[in-house]
Amino acid sequence: MPDSTAQPTGSAATFDTLLVSTEDNITTIRFNRPQKKNAITVEMYNEIIKALEESGKDDSVITVITGSGDFYCSGNDLTNFTKIPEGGTQQMAKDAGELLREFVKAFIDFPKPLIAVINGPAVGVSVTLLGLFEVVYATERATFHTPFSQLGQSPEGCSSYTFPKMMGNAKASEMLLFNKKLTATQACAQGLVTEVFPDSSFQTEVATRLKAYAKLPRNLIRGTEKERLHTVNDQEVERLVERWLSDECMQAIMSFFQAKAKL
């Protein structure tokens, strides 16, 4: 794992929500809103798309995604739903759907091997996207949670396709439909995580592996299922936009904010 002494790439200064650096043929994109558990705002979605676009073209061999602080990522920042544009909720759902489609597309189309380094709890879209990574390393204290149905929503990140393929229908349903939270060890047993490490040696063990991968020749070819994944992404976004416009979903999100306000 490139440490904080890694040289930021020329564009790093342009990111407010990410730290992007390249060292030893490894580009690291680090979610950097630790005080908000790295929840993804609209700005951050756009910055991740841009960072992936840039690291897809740079000289690095692999790209690593990780989080700052104790969390990997707590998923979609639900305040994204409180900023209603002039076109009302209809417009908001449409815009959010378009952004999500582009966001997931950036991962599907990414030209190099993608490695997730899960440094703590992962929630929502940060979990569903993991099926689009080549390798997922996790610290033993990481957890994996996709509480969509609790919020009246449906899964994204191509997980409706990649999760059953990885872990079978029943296990995928437990997570995506019934909100089951997995420990790192369970996630590894189900094929979502490649390897789990003790928290104390996590960064050093992962860094050793990443440095070895970075010595491999450039232009390693990624999986060939792009067309299928694009179709799945489109279908998931369509379904989600419908969900977002349903009363049930809006009520679930409102309840979430009311419950939070009482804490």
Side-chain angles (χ1 to χ4, degrees), residues 217-263:
R218 285 187 172 78
N219 306 322
L220 298 166
I221 304 300
R222 294 190 80 207
T224 51
E225 281 201 301
K226 277 189 189 178
E227 263 179 60
R228 180 68 203 262
L229 293 169
H230 283 307
T231 307
V232 172
N233 184 25
D234 288 344
Q235 288 166 343
E236 287 179 343
V237 167
E238 211 172 296
R239 196 176 317 132
L240 247 181
V241 169
E242 282 171 21
R243 301 293 316 141
W244 285 333
L245 289 170
S246 69
D247 290 343
E248 183 194 5
C249 178
M250 280 305 160
Q251 277 164 358
I253 290 167
M254 286 313 161
S255 308
F256 169 84
F257 282 113
Q258 282 157 1
K260 214 172 171 191
K262 286 176 191 153
L263 292 177

Side-chain angles (χ1 to χ4, degrees), residues 15-33:
F15 297 113
D16 291 326
T17 66
L18 307 173
L19 292 174
V20 180
S21 59
T22 301
E23 188 185 33
D24 299 335
N25 287 329
I26 301 164
T27 292
T28 302
I29 298 172
R30 193 183 296 272
F31 303 140
N32 194 35
R33 298 183 71 224

Side-chain angles (χ1 to χ4, degrees), residues 112-240:
K112 301 176 189 180
L114 268 173
I115 298 181
V117 174
I118 313 291
N119 56 298
V123 181
V125 67
S126 71
V127 176
T128 54
L129 280 172
L130 294 176
L132 302 177
F133 284 72
E134 270 64 41
V135 174
V136 179
Y137 290 137
T139 166
E140 62 192 351
R141 58 174 202 86
T143 52
F144 299 82
H145 194 206
T146 52
F148 299 117
S149 53
Q150 276 172 333
L151 292 167
Q153 300 189 45
S154 53
E156 77 296 85
C158 297
S159 59
S160 62
Y161 174 65
T162 59
F163 277 31
K165 203 173 158 210
M166 250 186 299
M167 56 182 84
N169 287 330
K171 296 284 185 196
S173 294
E174 257 192 327
M175 274 197 86
L176 298 174
L177 276 182
F178 301 120
N179 311 302
K180 184 181 167 85
K181 185 194 281 194
L182 300 186
T183 63
T185 309
Q186 288 171 325
C188 190
Q190 293 186 17
L192 184 62
V193 167
T194 315
E195 199 173 342
V196 179
F197 300 88
D199 200 49
S200 54
S201 58
F202 176 56
Q203 297 295 350
T204 46
E205 293 206 46
V206 168
T208 307
R209 284 166 172 73
L210 297 179
K211 280 183 179 140
Y213 295 153
K215 290 190 174 80
L216 293 169
R218 285 187 172 78
N219 306 322
L220 298 166
I221 304 300
R222 294 190 80 207
T224 51
E225 281 201 301
K226 277 189 189 178
E227 263 179 60
R228 180 68 203 262
L229 293 169
H230 283 307
T231 307
V232 172
N233 184 25
D234 288 344
Q235 288 166 343
E236 287 179 343
V237 167
E238 211 172 296
R239 196 176 317 132
L240 247 181

Side-chain angles (χ1 to χ4, degrees), residues 17-122:
T17 66
L18 307 173
L19 292 174
V20 180
S21 59
T22 301
E23 188 185 33
D24 299 335
N25 287 329
I26 301 164
T27 292
T28 302
I29 298 172
R30 193 183 296 272
F31 303 140
N32 194 35
R33 298 183 71 224
Q35 69 295 356
K36 295 288 183 190
K37 299 179 176 172
N38 298 325
I40 307 178
T41 56
V42 169
E43 178 192 18
M44 193 164 160
Y45 275 114
N46 283 310
E47 289 198 342
I48 295 166
I49 293 169
K50 189 175 177 214
L52 284 170
E53 203 176 294
E54 289 181 2
S55 62
K57 293 178 190 149
D58 71 18
D59 290 337
S60 62
V61 175
I62 56 173
T63 294
V64 171
I65 297 191
T66 192
S68 296
D70 294 337
F71 257 70
Y72 172 68
C73 174
S74 57
N76 197 10
D77 189 322
L78 288 176
T79 59
N80 293 343
F81 287 104
T82 58
K83 301 174 182 108
I84 311 285
E86 276 181 27
T89 48
Q90 205 83 28
Q91 189 61 43
M92 180 180 76
K94 199 166 163 262
D95 292 348
E98 221 23 71
L99 180 59
L100 179 65
R101 187 195 315 271
E102 288 307 306
F103 178 70
V104 176
K105 190 173 179 295
F107 284 87
I108 297 171
D109 286 337
F110 193 71
K112 301 176 189 180
L114 268 173
I115 298 181
V117 174
I118 313 291
N119 56 298

